[in-house]
Amino acid sequence: MTDYTESEGQTLRTAVFGAMVLVSTADPGAVDEESHAGIRAMTLLSDDLRAVIDAAPPTLPSGSASDVEAGVLAALRSSVDIITAREPRDVPIFRAAVAEMCRSVAGADGEVAVAERTMVTRVVEALG
């Protein structure tokens, strides 16, 4: 198992949960369905990453909606760097899993709004 520091773990949690929150709040929708869809998609993460994500509650950036978005997108970019340094083979898995989580959240209510699609694109771009 790869050992991530608490700070690295917090960055990963902020990235994963924050990305789902950004998509969920991009367009008002069925919050329960969106949450469940995102959580189900977390199974796509490697066991090591899932253990880090599950180790503690996430902390999202504070401030305005644009501050939260900027903080989460920065955490996504940092997470790719962290995983690259710790376990490079997990990078494509992380990117694909987070992208799928966001797509699952966006489509949870049967429709994908333009705002949700736009946010998914921003998340995927931040993942590199």
Side-chain angles (χ1 to χ4, degrees):
M1 181 168 165
T2 305
D3 289 324
Y4 289 90
T5 67
E6 177 50 37
S7 175
E8 290 169 335
Q10 189 57 52
T11 298
L12 292 167
R13 288 187 287 278
T14 297
V16 169
F17 286 104
M20 290 189 285
V21 167
L22 290 179
V23 174
S24 181
T25 59
D27 184 70
V31 175
D32 283 344
E33 286 89 348
E34 290 174 345
S35 296
H36 293 306
I39 299 295
R40 279 192 305 272
M42 284 182 67
T43 61
L44 300 171
L45 290 168
S46 69
D47 291 341
D48 283 353
L49 289 173
R50 207 169 37 252
V52 172
I53 302 299
D54 290 342
T59 303
L60 296 181
S62 58
S64 68
S66 61
D67 293 337
V68 173
E69 180 181 338
V72 170
L73 296 178
L76 286 162
R77 288 187 288 274
S78 294
S79 292
V80 171
D81 293 340
I82 290 166
I83 297 166
T84 299
R86 295 281 184 178
E87 194 60 61
R89 68 176 182 182
D90 280 348
V91 172
I93 296 166
F94 179 77
R95 285 179 172 139
V98 173
E100 183 54 36
M101 285 177 222
C102 291
R103 289 185 194 102
S104 294
V105 168
D109 61 359
E111 297 179 32
V112 179
V114 172
E116 291 170 318
R117 191 174 305 117
T118 299
M119 189 56 68
V120 170
T121 299
R122 287 184 185 144
V123 166
V124 170
E125 288 171 354
L127 290 166

